[in-house]
Amino acid sequence: MVAWIVEGTWPACVDAVRTHASDSADIVLVHVPEPEVAGAAHGAFAGLLGRGRPARDPGLVLSEQATSAGQALLAEAAARLGRPCTTLQRTGRVEREIVAEAEDAALLVLARDGDHTRLGPHSLGPHSRFIVDHAPCPVLLVWPEPPPSPSTLPPPPH
């Protein structure tokens, strides 16, 4: 079983794993830092200021901080899980790394990351949409918080 650990929604994924994983299940908690912010900082620095001073690249600093924060998040998730698991931090395009990690999984757990205020469309961000569409295993999609009332369901089309 693989659970995608993401800032803001990870507790719901860990709780779902605790609920649905058998005692003998191998559990992998995986995090992928977002590379876009560090890449933008690196690009701006290299293009405007950084020639000849690569050690001052803020993209490297942001990348290291994202990796460190991801490791701390994984440690917190493993503690919440409260049973043996593997924590893994991958690098690359988030959606492709998660799909690759789920290749041999019996179940992939992820949380809705779109609009949490109502039922219906826009429930998934671009990474989650890609993962749900391309996952090579069953997917358990959980609410990161109690779901809204069915009264928030959009009206039927005319």
Side-chain angles (χ1 to χ4, degrees), residues 70-117:
Q71 290 169 343
L73 188 65
L74 286 168
E76 192 173 353
R80 184 179 180 113
L81 182 62
R83 60 183 277 189
C85 67
T86 300
T87 60
L88 178 64
Q89 192 167 49
R90 297 180 67 127
T91 58
R93 294 184 61 101
V94 174
E95 65 278 11
R96 293 189 180 273
E97 294 299 321
I98 297 301
V99 169
E101 187 59 37
E103 182 176 357
D104 296 322
L107 183 68
L108 171 62
V109 179
L110 66 146
R112 295 169 63 116
D113 57 358
D115 185 357
H116 298 171
T117 62

Side-chain angles (χ1 to χ4, degrees), residues 15 30 57 98 156:
D15 293 347
V30 62
D57 184 350
I98 297 301

Side-chain angles (χ1 to χ4, degrees), residues 43-66:
F45 178 75
L48 298 174
L49 307 168
R51 293 189 178 122
R53 294 184 179 180
R56 298 175 127 187
D57 184 350
L60 295 175
V61 173
L62 286 173
S63 180
E64 291 170 2
Q65 289 176 344

Side-chain angles (χ1 to χ4, degrees), residues 19-68:
T19 300
H20 297 286
S22 68
D23 291 340
S24 63
D26 291 329
I27 300 168
V28 178
L29 305 177
V30 62
H31 177 265
V32 183
E34 290 276 352
E36 289 85 10
V37 174
H42 173 72
F45 178 75
L48 298 174
L49 307 168
R51 293 189 178 122
R53 294 184 179 180
R56 298 175 127 187
D57 184 350
L60 295 175
V61 173
L62 286 173
S63 180
E64 291 170 2
Q65 289 176 344
T67 299
S68 177

